[in-house]
Amino acid sequence: MTATLSVKVWRGKAEGGFSHYEVPRLASQTVLDVVTHIQRQLEPTLSYRFACRVGMCGSCAMTVNGKACWTCRTHVSKVVDAQGSLEIAPLANLPVIKDLATDMSEFFDKWTRAGGAFKGAATRHDPFAKVAPASNERKAANAGIECIGCGVCYASCDVVSWRPDYLGPAAMNRSWTLVNDVRDVAQTERLRAVAGDAGCHACHTLGSCTERCPKHLSPTVSIAGLKRTVARAAVRKQL
Ligand code: SF4
Ligand code: FES
């Protein structure tokens, strides 16, 4: 193990460049530890984002040696190259606000456009809905529910790069989660929302989203489920 890491960090906005820093290498060090060391000890104006540090909030995602990842749970030893070098950049496919902080507005707006908000019919006076944990309905709805909105899948998706209006893997994973939620009553609107040109049928099943998702979810499977359900509804003239 080298005693120091040679770290290149993106500075600036869309226009900018990499600055170089030497960071002491430590046991069990995460990429977020490295960025925090740089900001606290070497470059106080460096902008980046994190909150929980334990893989819950989804705010710390960056591009590390060319691949998007959650930096608080990514150990340096897993991503550093043989020369002890790291290159840390903001997430791809999103506008850069400054340095490592990206503007997530469009990413979350697409969740709304994909029908990502739950719509129920029950009121507070109704009893709690019961969906048995062992039921197929519950298992289907739970399959993608642990998404933390980190944007790793979105930054890794070539279709998003090619056509920026594409709703993207995270928004459609959310949509599929709600399609499988038996309490939700907005299914037709939701299927219409993802049936368009920029929706599920634009996915080329490249699979980078599923390969990189830190929560081991499969947006690829979710989008395939939407494709099937949209096609079935179209044949039945329900859309
Ligand atoms: Fe992150 Fe996975 Fe959710 Fe995409 S699906 S936003 S990679 S947790
Ligand atoms: Fe919350 Fe990394 S800081 S997921």
Side-chain angles (χ1 to χ4, degrees), residues 32 49-61 70-73 148 150:
L32 185 62
R49 209 183 268 128
F50 74 96
C52 71
R53 300 181 65 125
V54 289
M56 297 288 287
C57 72
S59 66
C60 67
W70 54 357
T71 57
C72 72
R73 300 289 299 271
I148 56 172
C150 65

Side-chain angles (χ1 to χ4, degrees), residues 5 7 9 23-24 26-41 46-64 69-79 86-89 100-101:
L5 292 163
V7 188
V9 178
V23 176
L26 304 170
S28 304
Q29 189 176 25
T30 65
V31 175
L32 185 62
D33 292 335
V34 170
V35 176
T36 300
H37 175 90
I38 293 170
Q39 201 250 15
R40 300 214 173 141
Q41 309 294 333
L46 177 67
S47 298
Y48 68 113
R49 209 183 268 128
F50 74 96
C52 71
R53 300 181 65 125
V54 289
M56 297 288 287
C57 72
S59 66
C60 67
M62 299 169 201
T63 308
V64 181
C69 66
W70 54 357
T71 57
C72 72
R73 300 289 299 271
T74 300
H75 281 253
V76 167
S77 57
K78 293 277 191 278
V79 286
L86 283 178
E87 183 184 277
I88 307 175
L100 302 172

Side-chain angles (χ1 to χ4, degrees), residues 110-228:
K110 285 179 176 178
W111 287 44
T112 308
R113 296 215 286 279
F118 174 80
K119 188 168 177 197
T123 72
R124 67 179 64 190
H125 306 296
D126 293 312
F128 288 117
K130 290 180 188 156
V131 187
S135 66
N136 289 338
E137 293 84 357
R138 179 69 170 265
K139 285 182 194 159
N142 276 357
I145 208 164
E146 294 292 338
C147 173
I148 56 172
C150 65
V152 164
C153 56
Y154 189 85
S156 305
C157 176
D158 285 334
V159 182
V160 176
S161 310
W162 298 329
R163 50 172 309 168
D165 62 333
Y166 176 51
L167 291 171
M172 287 195 282
N173 177 71
R174 173 65 182 161
S175 183
W176 179 239
T177 298
L178 291 177
V179 164
N180 286 302
D181 191 324
V182 291
R183 304 163 306 161
D184 188 282
V185 295
Q187 298 303 342
T188 305
E189 296 99 296
R190 184 167 298 109
L191 291 180
R192 280 195 190 120
V194 298
D197 207 27
C200 58
H201 295 297
C203 171
H204 289 223
T205 321
L206 299 172
S208 308
C209 53
T210 299
E211 188 188 313
R212 304 249 174 97
C213 173
K215 296 291 289 182
H216 304 295
L217 305 182
S218 180
T220 313
V221 167
S222 300
I223 295 169
L226 287 176
K227 285 179 180 175
R228 283 195 307 275

